[in-house]
Amino acid sequence: MTRLNWGMIGGGEGSQIGPAHRLGAQADGNFVLAAGALDHDADRGREYAQRLGVAADRAYGDWREMLEGEQKRDDRVDLVTVATPNSTHFEITKSFLEAGFNVLCEKPMTVTVEEGEEIVKIARATGKICAVNYCYSAYPMVREMRHMVASGGIGKVRLIVANFSHGHHGDATDADNPRVRWRYDPAMAGASGQFADCGIHAMHMASFIAGDEVASLSADFASTIASRELEDDAMVNFRMEGGTVGRLWTSSVAIGRQHGFDIQVFGETGGLKWWAEQPNQVMYTPVGGRTQIMEKGEGGLSDEASRLSRVAIAHPEGFPMAVANIYVDLAAAIRGEAHGAYPTAEDGLRSMAAVHQSVASAKQGGAWVDARPPMFR
């Protein structure tokens, strides 16, 4: 199997997300890091890319140089990952899609709904892949939950309860730390703080597992530390197009919680629970029956779960391998093969619409609003 050429923009040395992408993209031999513009400092980015094995003539100073250089090559990259600051996602993603490249963009895909709709239209017009890194949806046991719901294993889904809450920004004496403060500054973070940062992961997961889309929502935002303009805690109630009711809590001031991402799905004939701190397991309770623990790697799981598991039962794979599973699906799609359900530009657009509509709802005292982007109404 010939490896695909992969390029990365952002995610340089010291980046939080860069190593997960580099491990993930190359874990299964599908991609080789062939090009990169890894840092806003051109010299530092070029030097780091070459240390990672990128040829000098493909270690670029910035994304525009990379776009120009790769367009001229017969062995141009097959996929570009955009892992830059949020405000730059739209311009870079748009430019590479229009030039005929497949793109994987970090979330949020854009900072406005209008930008998101434009990206969807460009991806459709060019026929190129535009994926968004909602990587939690690629854990094997999350895929098992999705399969169980789709195959009727718990009947019609009635209720979903999700939360993504941690306490790492709960120290008011640390509120002016620049690494924390920007997340609650609208000039840098946009319209929303905690919901846009973590809450949309949980909302995407609800839609992904249920196979349904959020139609309307009601939000309550709170800035529990007075110096913060944007929310550090949010409760969002939502209803899906198929009638499922949803409850979502997200917080960065829940001291004592670490990662704090979990989701429960309650159907007519059973319930399921998954949590990120124990991602190898799903708790399954059939109506009137005992709760069972389903383990990654055990017999009897669906192909969707089994194909994304690399090591034996009881051996955890973790976050970078969830990212790797996004790349597994993308490699298959690029080669024209069957693949799983990687998150698309449409998912990124729906998330951005939910962010802005949640902000609007919170300002109206929790009024119910249409959660869908205009082009999907």
Side-chain angles (χ1 to χ4, degrees):
M1 181 176 63
T2 302
R3 289 197 291 178
L4 300 167
N5 285 330
W6 172 57
M8 189 172 192
I9 302 169
E13 191 167 20
S15 161
Q16 179 180 0
I17 198 64
H21 278 285
R22 286 187 287 276
L23 287 168
Q26 299 173 96
D28 300 283
N30 287 312
F31 293 95
V32 59
L33 180 59
L38 303 182
D39 200 293
H40 69 276
D41 182 302
D43 291 338
R44 190 165 58 196
R46 289 191 186 99
E47 189 273 335
Y48 186 51
Q50 289 177 71
R51 273 196 279 135
L52 293 174
V54 175
D57 65 335
R58 302 181 81 175
Y60 299 102
D62 60 44
W63 69 266
R64 290 182 177 86
E65 182 184 323
M66 178 170 161
L67 178 59
E68 181 181 359
E70 290 300 304
Q71 282 182 289
K72 299 174 182 177
R73 301 184 67 98
D74 293 332
D75 61 346
R76 67 193 302 194
V77 290
D78 299 289
L79 175 70
V80 175
T81 292
V82 179
T84 54
N86 297 354
S87 61
T88 66
H89 288 179
F90 170 70
E91 183 181 13
I92 300 172
T93 298
K94 176 178 183 291
S95 298
F96 275 85
L97 284 174
E98 289 177 333
F101 292 89
N102 299 306
V103 177
L104 170 60
C105 185
E106 265 300 328
K107 50 71 58 176
M109 184 178 75
T110 61
V111 295
T112 71
V113 176
E114 293 76 16
E115 290 175 347
E117 291 192 335
E118 187 171 351
I119 292 295
V120 169
K121 291 174 183 176
I122 292 169
R124 290 176 175 179
T126 61
K128 307 311 291 185
I129 292 169
C130 183
V132 183
N133 191 36
Y134 287 115
C135 57
Y136 296 101
S137 67
Y139 276 99
M141 296 311 289
V142 171
R143 295 291 178 92
E144 182 68 16
M145 290 175 73
R146 177 182 168 92
H147 169 78
M148 289 184 69
V149 170
S151 61
I154 61 170
K156 178 177 172 56
V157 176
R158 294 169 171 164
L159 173 66
I160 296 176
V161 179
N163 89 78
F164 198 155
S165 52
H166 64 83
H168 301 301
H169 301 161
D171 183 356
T173 65
D174 194 44
D176 285 332
N177 180 336
R179 297 182 64 182
V180 174
R181 188 179 61 233
W182 75 268
R183 298 175 184 273
Y184 307 97
D185 179 354
M188 301 183 72
S192 169
Q194 178 62 14
F195 183 67
D197 188 25
C198 294
I200 57 174
H201 272 298
M203 184 166 282
H204 172 264
M205 184 80 86
S207 291
F208 182 82
I209 293 172
D212 201 358
E213 302 296 345
V214 176
S216 61
L217 58 81
S218 167
D220 179 35
F221 283 8
S223 299
T224 66
I225 293 179
S227 62
R228 292 175 176 166
E229 289 188 62
L230 299 177
E231 84 287 352
D232 53 22
D233 186 276
M235 178 65 76
V236 180
N237 294 313
F238 60 89
R239 293 182 182 270
M240 305 184 104
E241 292 175 352
T244 299
V245 175
R247 314 292 187 208
L248 189 160
W249 172 49
T250 185
S251 182
S252 62
V253 294
I255 295 172
R257 295 185 69 94
Q258 297 302 322
H259 189 272
F261 185 11
D262 61 67
I263 186 165
Q264 293 178 271
V265 182
F266 303 101
E268 295 172 324
T269 61
L272 301 166
K273 179 181 179 181
W274 177 88
W275 59 111
E277 292 174 26
Q278 190 63 38
N280 282 0
Q281 297 181 342
V282 166
M283 309 292 285
Y284 166 54
T285 308
V287 63
R290 293 179 177 177
T291 297
Q292 306 168 32
I293 299 176
M294 302 166 59
E295 288 274 359
K296 180 193 72 69
E298 69 184 10
L301 298 181
S302 67
D303 288 342
E304 273 302 292
S306 298
R307 65 184 281 271
L308 298 179
S309 180
R310 296 164 185 79
V311 296
I313 189 170
H315 292 77
E317 295 182 24
F319 181 82
M321 294 301 99
V323 176
N325 288 338
I326 296 290
Y327 284 97
V328 168
D329 284 342
L330 289 174
I334 291 169
R335 292 181 176 126
E337 302 167 358
H339 57 81
Y342 61 82
T344 65
E346 285 82 359
D347 296 312
L349 169 58
R350 289 184 184 278
S351 292
M352 191 45 51
V355 167
H356 284 275
Q357 290 301 90
S358 292
V359 171
S361 172
K363 289 179 177 178
Q364 298 173 56
W368 281 88
V369 297
D370 195 326
R372 299 168 298 174
M375 70 181 293
F376 293 160
R377 294 180 186 176

